[in-house]
Amino acid sequence: MHRGVESLWVNVTMGKVVTRIGAFYRSPEHGSDIDRLIVEEINRGCCNNTIILGDFNLPGVNWKCLEGGSSQGDLFIDCFQDNFLEQWVDKPTRGDKILDLVLSNWNVMEDLEVKESLGDSDHAIIQFSIGVEMEGRVNNQVIPNFAKGDFIKLRHSLSLVNWEGEFQGLDAFEMWEKFKGILTVCQNQAIPNKIVRGRKLNPPWWSSEIRAHLKSKKGAFRRLKECGGFDNLVRYRSCRNSLKRIIRQSKRLAEIKLAESSRNDPKKFFSFYRFMDKGSKGIGPIHYKGLEIVSDEGIAEAFKDYFSTVFTSEEGDIEFSNGVSVCHVDSLRDITFTVEEIKGLLCGLKPNKSAGPDGIHGRILREGQDYLAVALQIIFSRSFEYCEIPDDWKDANVVPIFKKGNKSEVENYRPISLTSNVVKVMEKIIKGRIHEFLRNNNLISDDQHGFREGRSCLSNLLLFLDYVTGVVDSGKGVDVVYLDLSKAFDKVPHRKLLFKLSMHGISGGVTRWIDGWLTSRRQRVLLNGFSSKWDRVRSGVPQGSVLGPLLFIIFVNDLGVNIGSKIFKFADDTKLVRPICGVNDSIEIQRDLDRLMAWAGKWGMSFNVSKCKVLHVGRSGNDGFGYEMGKDWVEEVSVERDLGVFVTSDLKSGKQCLEARNRANRMLGIINRNVSYKSKRVIRKLYNSYVRPHLEYCVQAWSPHFRYDINLLERVQRRATKLVPGLRDLDYETRLRELGMYSLERRRIRGDLIEVFKIMNGMVDIDVGVLFTLDINSRTRGHSRKIKKNACNLDVRKFFFGNRIVDRWNELPEQVVGSANVNTFKVRLDEFMDSMGIM
């Protein structure tokens, strides 16, 4: 006990990880003075890897929403948030209250359970595991060492190749093998290889200079131990101090480079973070078919088997009836490949793009673009004309990506395909021609927002919420049915897809090539340098390919034909929306659901009814009417996550603000825990790249108007600005000026105005008249593109995007509104907001 605080701290070493565990007891009779001492104790004791346990007796705190409920609760919530501690207990531990807490500022908590009490105690037992990764197997890999590569020599070698002569008389299969052989020879002459370990033993900033200083330090220590003497002691201390200094310098330089590259290469930070956070675990062990699988090879095989179970089998003859819109325009049959177009696409490849099954890296293709484009033009043209598609172009390395739920269950992962970088270039050209053909002939349904130019998650949410808030404001209720197609991308039947392509006017060589590209595909699962056996892909469009998403939206394009309710789609995420004035409207929704079930059965798809939800919004006229899909009832919910944004039955944004705050604060904790050199530039760059996006994702659709929610978000940025040591004691506005930042409230206003500008100028594919009413008769001073406020009764309509931005937009000067492009608009808008003193 220290100053009346009942606490205990211990350091526990697991492998190479030191974890600090603190245990606390807070009596319910404690006053504010003791509470402040407990908070001070927590602030002093917290380090990078901290777990805090104990009975805190805070029954008024809402741990799901992180609302304090009292001054005492707010004090502890702020303390936990400032130390980036996340509370893991989500069930009552005494009666119906959560009094016993488990908090951690690193992501190692696993399988936490609240069990029955022990003996005479009236508190439940809390049991959990700490998932710290220990030393494991290492699978070495040989990869090109681009840092020491001679790309001038590579380009010179490629310039000497006469591709037309090399390919004379060969088919596409032989051309491809010839191409790979020549490219491999040129690469080996110019780019040395290096061996990398599956699990790195040294941090990202480790260098040969550090290695040399470490060797000197070890030698000096050995001499000191063997011979002793003052001179050897001085020499050892000098070597030790030099090593510490060079490590600090090297790490500082690495963190500066990390921050500078965060915008263009965001993945680099997470590889850095994975090394630093030694408690983070990879995939495994997993449970599959009643067995626990631990080895990397076994896990890879289990994922391979599971991913193959979702495929759709097409047997027998297929007959199609009406239901697909027939294209009555000239069809798209042929595609021409040019050297200049291929060169432009090679130039746009990301240099750190991993190699696919063919082993060709994006860096090699980009560096040799001037010479490789000639070869690829010949190969692509031959492949398209004769439908000759090399096996490398149809093979995929699959990586399991965790979605949500229990990490030990294979069902909670989805496959992402890593395919050949070369075929992706060809896919981009084919996709571009198909997309242009569909757009010019207006063949894609207007309710589809996924994978379309000028459409996005934000455009989907803006139109959906504009419609729903309008209906609710008129006094009606709305029923929203969220639909989930089961394993949608993996289940698409190939023959039915080809039929739909033909009905959209895509035929000839285009469909022949796509048919060949989809047929006889193979995939294998990669995990920690190990791979499963190859498995045949019997259906679906590859997730991770370039062409796959476009083929999918063509396949589901007629989802919603003959549906009376309004539909909003983003790829396979579909919402069925209808105003409810009485039971007849609910019956119509049920009929629409029956039609959708029939569509799925006809086209070889299925709905996962357990994931389909219905949300009653507003004063619903639905008097207990339940919806069915097949033989199952659709679950009713009061909140649903829609394209990453929480939509509630009252249309308030509080839930989304809490989720955004929690995600952003968690990411800020990762930065605080792993980055040592917290300079102004480093923190600003990392915050802008990894934290602020969580606070501003699709914020135009859910921007808060309650001061509590506004402050909730702003506190994350306040906390971020305090990470810079020299700014911590300054006030918030001064910290913002020192960092060259603005408040989140100003940024939301700015984002709203930018979105209006884009919509007004056709940069977003939304009809201006849907969201805004143009004020064409306005004769007051100002610009010529004013909009009018619509009369509304409820705050959910008054503060929605189309209304809340009217005054801000109308007060802009003509010079700002009349900007030629969005970048000019942003510059002039910032100047105007600065002149108005908006912080």
Side-chain angles (χ1 to χ4, degrees):
M1 181 179 290
H2 177 65
R3 294 189 301 172
V5 177
E6 296 185 56
S7 64
L8 173 68
W9 292 98
V10 294
N11 289 339
V12 180
T13 301
M14 295 173 283
K16 294 185 178 180
V17 184
V18 178
T19 304
R20 178 167 294 177
I21 300 178
F24 283 78
Y25 174 71
R26 175 189 173 274
S27 170
E29 286 78 29
H30 274 171
S32 57
D33 292 340
I34 297 296
D35 285 341
R36 281 193 289 271
L37 291 176
I38 294 175
V39 166
E40 291 177 9
E41 181 75 11
I42 292 173
N43 290 335
R44 279 196 304 271
C46 274
C47 63
N48 281 349
N49 306 325
T50 301
I51 298 173
I52 293 179
L53 322 166
D55 179 2
F56 280 81
N57 279 301
L58 296 169
V61 175
N62 183 334
W63 292 108
K64 289 185 178 180
C65 302
L66 290 182
E67 295 176 338
S70 65
S71 58
Q72 292 174 315
D74 289 337
L75 176 67
F76 281 95
I77 289 293
D78 289 340
C79 169
F80 298 156
Q81 291 277 290
D82 288 341
N83 289 286
F84 309 103
L85 292 163
E86 186 173 355
Q87 208 287 109
W88 291 84
V89 180
D90 59 358
K91 294 181 181 178
T93 62
R94 183 176 183 270
D96 60 349
K97 303 295 184 182
I98 299 177
L99 303 183
D100 305 280
L101 310 181
V102 176
L103 304 120
S104 173
N105 63 5
W106 59 324
N107 189 24
V108 293
M109 311 302 295
E110 293 184 354
D111 305 324
L112 188 144
E113 295 181 79
V114 178
K115 298 189 172 184
E116 294 182 1
S117 59
L118 183 65
D120 296 331
S121 173
D122 58 352
H123 286 256
I125 294 174
I126 302 174
Q127 178 178 305
F128 59 91
S129 303
I130 301 176
V132 177
E133 186 172 21
M134 310 300 281
E135 292 292 336
R137 293 180 56 188
V138 174
N139 189 31
N140 295 342
Q141 300 178 65
V142 179
I143 64 171
N145 188 353
F146 294 124
K148 296 184 178 180
D150 186 346
F151 292 104
I152 295 176
K153 183 177 181 179
L154 173 68
R155 287 188 286 270
H156 175 72
S157 299
L158 292 174
S159 69
L160 301 177
V161 180
N162 178 5
W163 293 108
E164 292 185 357
E166 295 287 348
F167 291 158
Q168 186 69 35
L170 303 181
D171 59 27
F173 304 105
E174 295 166 330
M175 289 181 186
W176 174 245
E177 294 301 323
K178 192 84 169 179
F179 173 83
K180 286 198 301 180
I182 294 174
L183 185 59
T184 300
V185 171
C186 295
Q187 177 178 320
N188 290 339
Q189 291 174 349
I191 314 293
N193 290 327
K194 66 178 181 179
I195 298 176
V196 296
R197 295 181 181 273
R199 295 177 177 86
K200 291 184 179 180
L201 300 181
N202 293 324
W205 64 85
W206 205 258
S207 65
S208 58
E209 188 176 6
I210 294 177
R211 198 173 292 111
H213 278 74
L214 180 61
K215 185 177 180 180
S216 298
K217 177 198 165 188
K218 288 180 178 179
F221 180 76
R222 188 166 51 252
R223 285 192 297 271
L224 175 62
K225 189 175 181 180
E226 293 173 354
C227 305
F230 181 74
D231 291 341
N232 286 332
L233 176 62
V234 171
R235 187 178 298 109
Y236 166 73
R237 287 177 175 174
S238 175
C239 291
R240 180 196 61 191
N241 293 339
S242 296
L243 176 63
K244 289 181 178 179
R245 183 177 63 255
I246 195 64
I247 287 177
R248 284 196 300 268
Q249 293 174 350
S250 183
K251 187 177 181 183
R252 175 178 296 188
L253 182 60
E255 290 179 347
I256 292 173
K257 289 181 178 179
L258 183 74
E260 294 295 333
S261 63
S262 60
R263 193 176 188 88
N264 298 323
D265 188 11
K267 293 181 180 179
K268 186 175 291 185
F269 175 81
F270 293 100
S271 62
F272 180 90
Y273 157 61
R274 276 196 297 272
F275 178 87
M276 290 295 296
D277 195 347
K278 298 181 179 66
S280 61
K281 287 187 60 179
I283 297 176
I286 64 165
H287 298 98
Y288 184 60
K289 294 183 177 180
L291 300 175
E292 182 179 67
I293 305 173
V294 178
S295 68
D296 289 330
E297 301 99 314
I299 294 173
E301 286 293 331
F303 275 114
K304 186 262 294 183
D305 290 341
Y306 172 69
F307 291 150
S308 67
T309 62
V310 303
F311 295 137
T312 300
S313 178
E314 293 184 278
E315 302 293 342
D317 296 332
I318 300 177
E319 295 183 2
F320 304 102
S321 58
N322 294 330
V324 181
S325 301
V326 179
C327 178
H328 296 290
V329 297
D330 293 337
S331 63
L332 176 66
R333 301 180 58 86
D334 297 307
I335 292 175
T336 302
F337 302 88
T338 66
V339 172
E340 288 305 315
E341 184 175 17
I342 295 171
K343 187 186 298 184
L345 293 173
L346 293 178
C347 180
L349 286 176
K350 294 181 179 179
N352 60 345
K353 198 73 173 175
S354 300
D358 57 11
I360 300 177
H361 291 261
R363 180 72 180 273
I364 297 295
L365 294 173
R366 179 169 175 166
E367 294 289 346
Q369 60 184 275
D370 292 333
Y371 313 103
L372 297 178
V374 176
L376 294 179
Q377 189 274 334
I378 299 172
I379 298 175
F380 291 170
S381 298
R382 171 77 190 198
S383 173
F384 185 84
E385 183 177 358
Y386 293 95
C387 196
E388 297 170 349
I389 305 171
D391 290 339
D392 284 341
W393 295 5
K394 297 191 287 186
D395 289 344
N397 292 329
V398 173
V399 177
I401 301 297
F402 176 70
K403 295 183 293 184
K404 60 181 178 180
N406 190 336
K407 289 186 177 182
S408 65
E409 302 296 334
V410 294
E411 295 84 1
N412 295 326
Y413 293 79
R414 68 166 173 265
I416 296 297
S417 300
L418 303 177
T419 57
S420 165
N421 288 313
V422 171
V423 77
K424 283 183 178 179
V425 174
M426 188 173 182
E427 287 179 63
K428 285 180 181 179
I429 296 172
I430 296 173
K431 174 193 171 183
R433 300 295 191 279
I434 294 176
H435 189 274
E436 181 182 16
F437 172 79
L438 296 172
R439 184 182 64 246
N440 291 342
N441 293 285
N442 197 27
L443 296 177
I444 296 296
S445 173
D446 194 52
D447 54 41
Q448 178 62 262
H449 290 253
F451 310 114
R452 296 183 63 188
E453 187 178 353
R455 295 290 185 93
S456 63
C457 293
L458 177 58
S459 66
N460 181 293
L461 290 168
L462 283 177
L463 291 180
F464 162 64
L465 290 173
D466 179 76
Y467 177 76
V468 172
T469 55
V471 173
V472 171
D473 191 68
S474 68
K476 301 176 183 177
V478 180
D479 277 3
V480 183
V481 183
Y482 288 91
L483 303 170
D484 183 84
L485 279 169
S486 179
K487 307 296 181 183
F489 278 73
D490 298 317
K491 281 184 173 291
V492 173
H494 293 161
R495 291 164 64 186
K496 294 180 180 181
L497 170 63
L498 294 171
F499 172 78
K500 288 199 174 185
L501 288 175
S502 68
M503 298 304 287
H504 284 78
I506 302 168
S507 60
V510 180
T511 52
R512 282 198 303 272
W513 191 89
I514 291 174
D515 184 16
W517 179 67
L518 292 173
T519 303
S520 301
R521 295 190 68 88
R522 300 187 307 168
Q523 67 180 31
R524 63 180 177 182
V525 174
L526 296 187
L527 188 71
N528 296 333
F530 298 92
S531 66
S532 70
K533 297 176 182 178
W534 288 102
D535 193 26
R536 188 168 69 90
V537 177
R538 296 181 294 279
S539 65
V541 292
Q543 297 189 60
S545 67
V546 173
L547 194 53
L550 180 59
L551 296 178
F552 181 81
I553 67 170
I554 293 173
F555 184 79
V556 299
N557 194 35
D558 62 329
L559 175 67
V561 171
N562 300 323
I563 297 296
S565 303
K566 202 166 182 63
I567 275 200
F568 298 88
K569 290 187 290 191
F570 189 92
D572 61 325
D573 289 313
T574 304
K575 296 183 283 283
L576 191 70
V577 186
R578 191 181 187 91
I580 303 295
C581 298
V583 68
N584 289 335
D585 293 313
S586 298
I587 292 173
E588 287 301 318
I589 288 183
Q590 182 60 63
R591 289 172 178 167
D592 288 338
L593 291 174
D594 294 339
R595 296 184 185 105
L596 291 172
M597 291 291 288
W599 177 92
K602 174 182 177 180
W603 296 107
M605 305 294 283
S606 62
F607 286 99
N608 187 345
V609 182
S610 65
K611 293 185 178 180
C612 296
K613 313 291 181 184
V614 59
L615 181 70
H616 304 301
V617 182
R619 291 179 292 180
S620 177
N622 184 330
D623 296 324
F625 191 99
Y627 298 111
E628 289 182 286
M629 297 183 72
K631 298 180 180 180
D632 298 313
W633 293 99
V634 180
E635 181 185 354
E636 296 183 7
V637 294
S638 59
V639 58
E640 180 65 10
R641 189 167 186 168
D642 183 1
L643 301 178
V645 172
F646 283 101
V647 179
T648 61
S649 56
D650 59 7
L651 296 178
K652 293 181 180 178
S653 60
K655 173 68 174 176
Q656 174 59 27
C657 291
L658 287 166
E659 178 67 12
R661 186 275 306 270
N662 292 341
R663 285 177 170 269
N665 202 64
R666 195 174 298 125
M667 190 66 229
L668 189 60
I670 292 172
I671 292 173
N672 178 63
R673 186 165 62 248
N674 293 287
V675 177
S676 301
Y677 182 57
K678 297 182 175 71
S679 69
K680 294 179 184 179
R681 187 172 181 83
V682 167
I683 291 300
R684 184 177 69 246
K685 290 271 188 181
L686 294 177
Y687 170 79
N688 290 346
S689 297
Y690 301 109
V691 179
R692 196 171 66 192
H694 291 295
L695 301 169
E696 296 182 339
Y697 170 73
C698 287
V699 71
Q700 285 73 38
W702 57 269
S703 184
H705 61 273
F706 290 120
R707 180 50 55 183
Y708 175 85
D709 293 331
I710 291 171
N711 292 338
L712 193 75
L713 300 178
E714 202 72 47
R715 276 199 291 270
V716 178
Q717 184 161 284
R718 287 175 180 270
R719 194 171 291 117
T721 58
K722 287 183 178 181
L723 293 185
V724 181
L727 303 183
R728 187 174 184 86
D729 296 329
L730 303 178
D731 63 84
Y732 180 49
E733 288 72 21
T734 304
R735 295 200 301 271
L736 289 178
R737 283 194 295 270
E738 288 289 328
L739 291 168
M741 296 165 58
Y742 296 104
S743 70
L744 294 175
E745 194 167 3
R746 164 175 162 146
R747 286 188 54 82
R748 285 193 293 273
I749 296 170
R750 180 179 183 269
D752 282 351
L753 292 170
I754 293 171
E755 194 66 22
V756 176
F757 179 82
K758 289 180 178 179
I759 294 171
M760 288 285 190
N761 290 275
M763 301 173 193
V764 177
D765 187 13
I766 293 179
D767 185 0
V768 175
V770 175
L771 292 176
F772 309 114
T773 302
L774 298 179
D775 191 3
I776 57 177
N777 297 320
S778 175
R779 299 182 182 278
T780 58
R781 291 181 300 172
H783 60 79
S784 58
R785 307 185 74 180
K786 290 189 174 183
I787 53 181
K788 294 192 297 185
K789 275 189 177 180
N790 295 316
C792 34
N793 301 309
L794 303 176
D795 282 352
V796 293
R797 186 65 174 174
K798 177 183 176 182
F799 291 102
F800 186 65
F801 177 70
N803 272 320
R804 72 167 181 265
I805 200 58
V806 171
D807 291 339
R808 296 283 187 180
W809 174 261
N810 288 342
E811 70 184 12
L812 294 178
E814 180 69 40
Q815 182 187 17
V816 177
V817 174
S819 299
N821 54 62
V822 70
N823 289 329
T824 303
F825 177 79
K826 290 177 180 179
V827 172
R828 293 176 178 176
L829 176 61
D830 286 335
E831 293 173 352
F832 173 75
M833 296 182 80
D834 288 341
S835 68
M836 298 295 291
I838 303 174
M839 283 296 295

